Amino acid sequence: MAAINDSGRGVPATIEWGRFAAEHWQRSPALLPLSAAPLSADEAFALIDAIVRPFRTGLRFFALPALKFRVGDTEIRAPGDLLPDREAPDRVDATIAGYLQRLGARGGDDPAWLEIDQPLMADVAAWSAVRDFLQDLWRHTGVPVQSILAQLALGRYQHEADCSAAVFLLPLYGDVDVAIEEVGKPAAPCAWTASAGDLVYVPGGWRLRECCASGALVLRLTLPQAEEALVREVRELAIAMMQPVLHPDGATPMVPVDGTVGPQDPLDALVRALPECVRGRDFETALQVTWAARRSACALEPVPSRAVHAPLQADDRIHLALGTRIVSLPMTGGVAVWAVNGHVFAMREGAAGESLRRRLNDTNEPVRVGDVCRSADGASDTGLVELLDRVHAAHGLVRMSPDIRADARAPAPVDAAG
């Protein structure tokens, strides 16, 4: 990767993440070319179309993925047919250009756009592609402690990012004008135009403003860096663990209407129990499990839900899905936790399980389930088979047709869950 030239744009067509980490990570903004974005414009538009279907009759609240639709400064609570519909009889929305043209005609002079929070959780392939994109960078910087907010924005839009967060902006279609200035510094801001195939990076402590006058489709990845957000996450975990202990019957805590406070006041009990909780081994374990899940997901959370597959059979050939890594966390009492693509599950700790994990992590050659799930006496180890089924459900395995040889150049998958 070359240094940024006067226009802010790097010259080569690929990113060397090691050099990027040394020159720009948490230091300075960058506008860089990508050899290929993790999602194509068509893939992202198809994902948007699938997500917005239930929103066409009204917005769903308190659910992810979450959708906002704005015209100018006004949020439209029930956008209806303003949302894209690729299967509409007139086929106007079959392409991004067609939808943007229709939206522009409906919105007039005011910018109109839709924005979706956490769209990747709705599609395993899209989530995996972005996970792989980030994973190459995290090898040089480490995995963020806090989870990432992924967003797709489509239309003529304007956006200002949180200065306490780092941002990756990837235009997938159209051009976006960006203005970037360091908070509290008098230096002139960067003013760039990012196009499809570019990557804009803005570290925390810099203000990013995006403006798209002609219509665009962008993927935005926001990495929280504010300490208070991390404190809030830890606090919420502690309260969630304490709730069933303090109120085992599940009853809602109540305070007398006259405001009197006594030794059994539920808030007082919570305050007194909190220090003991956070010092306890259970809380430390919960933090470790949360981190193992986040590490296995490359901090791209929420993750897609588990899949439902037919149980693996002894003759099935499997290999770890591309980009998947099994993270192992030893626990007490002979138990270990495996984290796969953001999903965690417990297993009995032992040499057989660890050997299986290493074999799957270290090679992408297909292996026969019956060959890797044998106990010391040569019999089938049902515990290991069940373990593989859990990895499969977490989109961690690709199952091959039983009659495909392990050395085949291009084996056809029965199912590609990752």
Side-chain angles (χ1 to χ4, degrees), residues 339-353:
V340 180
N341 293 332
H343 298 280
V344 293
F345 40 85
M347 55 167 288
R348 68 175 186 275
E349 190 175 17

Side-chain angles (χ1 to χ4, degrees), residues 38-230:
L39 293 180
S40 71
D42 288 342
E43 290 169 337
F45 189 47
L47 176 58
I48 289 174
D49 182 71
I51 290 173
V52 303
R53 287 173 191 168
F55 290 88
R56 292 187 186 123
T57 56
L59 291 186
R60 297 185 304 167
F61 297 97
F62 310 111
L64 291 176
L67 182 148
K68 292 181 181 179
F69 193 97
R70 295 183 181 276
V71 176
D73 296 330
T74 304
E75 182 174 348
I76 307 299
R77 308 297 285 182
D81 64 357
L82 290 172
L83 298 173
D85 185 357
R86 298 204 311 168
E87 298 178 358
D90 58 14
R91 302 293 294 166
V92 171
D93 294 353
T95 65
I96 298 174
Y99 172 68
L100 291 176
Q101 185 176 8
R102 180 174 73 84
L103 190 60
R106 291 283 300 274
D109 295 334
D110 290 328
W113 74 98
L114 67 90
E115 191 167 79
I116 300 176
D117 289 351
Q118 306 297 13
L120 303 177
M121 64 180 290
D123 184 80
V124 174
W127 181 89
S128 298
V130 177
R131 184 272 319 272
D132 293 348
F133 172 79
L134 293 171
Q135 189 164 240
D136 291 339
L137 172 60
W138 300 156
R139 292 190 178 100
H140 299 280
T141 64
V143 180
V145 175
Q146 299 177 66
S147 58
I148 295 168
L149 170 63
Q151 296 171 304
L152 283 171
L154 175 61
R156 293 184 297 139
Y157 79 94
Q158 50 199 11
H159 176 84
E160 182 170 335
D162 183 352
C163 300
S164 66
V167 177
F168 285 114
L169 182 70
L170 295 91
L172 305 178
Y173 177 93
D175 299 332
V176 180
D177 295 323
V178 297
I180 307 168
E181 60 182 348
E182 192 168 8
V183 177
K185 299 293 179 68
C190 303
W192 299 331
T193 297
S195 305
D198 288 334
L199 166 68
V200 177
Y201 167 68
V202 183
W206 294 68
R207 179 175 288 108
L208 167 64
R209 294 186 178 93
E210 307 165 32
C211 181
C212 174
S214 57
L217 170 58
V218 302
L219 170 65
R220 186 185 304 116
L221 304 173
T222 302
L223 290 63
Q225 295 182 331
E227 293 182 359
E228 59 268 22
L230 183 59

Side-chain angles (χ1 to χ4, degrees), residues 234 237 241 280-296 301 327-332 335 337-339 344:
V234 173
L237 176 61
M241 293 181 63
R281 176 62 182 169
D282 288 347
F283 185 68
E284 180 182 349
T285 298
L287 287 175
Q288 290 176 335
V289 171
T290 299
W291 167 243
R294 186 157 297 163
R295 178 183 169 192
S296 73
E301 298 170 312
V327 176
S328 179
L329 177 65
M331 310 289 283
T332 59
V335 175
V337 166
W338 277 15
V344 293

